[in-house]
Amino acid sequence: DVQLVESGGGSVEVGGSLRLTCTASGTMDSRYCMGWFRQPPGAERAGVATFGRGGSRHYVDSVKGRFTISQGSAKNSIYLRLDDLKPEDTAVYYCAADVCPVIQRFMSTDYVYWGQGTQVTVS
């Protein structure tokens, strides 16, 4: 089983920055990939940035050039740097993990393990 814990959310002004952290524990071998999703108020959960097979990085178009996903040296932590934040980035941000999808579709149904979420509010 895999447990995920996110931290680093908060309230920032437009144009500000945040860094989110997700730390995993439990059984997660090299077949697993981790990523970040978000769920705005009244909307469905959707992918933001994910790692794919071989360490490839994938971003949804709306965050390209503003968000950066990275991984700790121990491979059990991932980070999401959020720069140039906009009001539409307001959401609960979730960390996810599962065996790497064959095709990166940014779909929540491709991941089994989830953290509890951390709120990001931009105003």
Side-chain angles (χ1 to χ4, degrees), residues 12-18 38 62-67 81-89 122:
V12 295
E13 295 182 346
V14 172
S17 298
L18 284 172
R38 67 184 178 185
S62 61
V63 307
K64 286 181 179 178
R66 301 190 299 120
F67 291 8
R81 172 76 180 185
L82 297 75
D83 292 315
D84 189 23
L85 282 161
K86 303 176 181 181
E88 52 264 42
D89 295 318
V122 186

Side-chain angles (χ1 to χ4, degrees), residues 14-54:
V14 172
S17 298
L18 284 172
R19 186 182 188 236
L20 307 183
T21 299
C22 173
T23 301
S25 59
T27 304
M28 197 168 65
D29 58 32
S30 60
R31 299 174 300 152
Y32 280 69
C33 287
M34 298 174 69
W36 290 97
F37 283 69
R38 67 184 178 185
Q39 188 166 14
E44 294 186 354
R45 194 173 301 186
V48 175
T50 63
F51 281 102
R53 293 184 171 186

Side-chain angles (χ1 to χ4, degrees), residues 59-79:
Y59 298 93
V60 67
D61 286 346
S62 61
V63 307
K64 286 181 179 178
R66 301 190 299 120
F67 291 8
T68 304
I69 190 171
S70 60
Q71 191 171 36
S73 58
K75 306 294 185 184
N76 68 328
S77 293
I78 63 170
Y79 309 96

Side-chain angles (χ1 to χ4, degrees), residues 6 20 37-41 45-46 89-94 116-120:
E6 305 99 333
L20 307 183
F37 283 69
R38 67 184 178 185
Q39 188 166 14
R45 194 173 301 186
D89 295 318
T90 294
V92 178
Y93 283 70
Y94 295 90
Q116 82 287 351
T118 185
Q119 176 71 46
V120 172

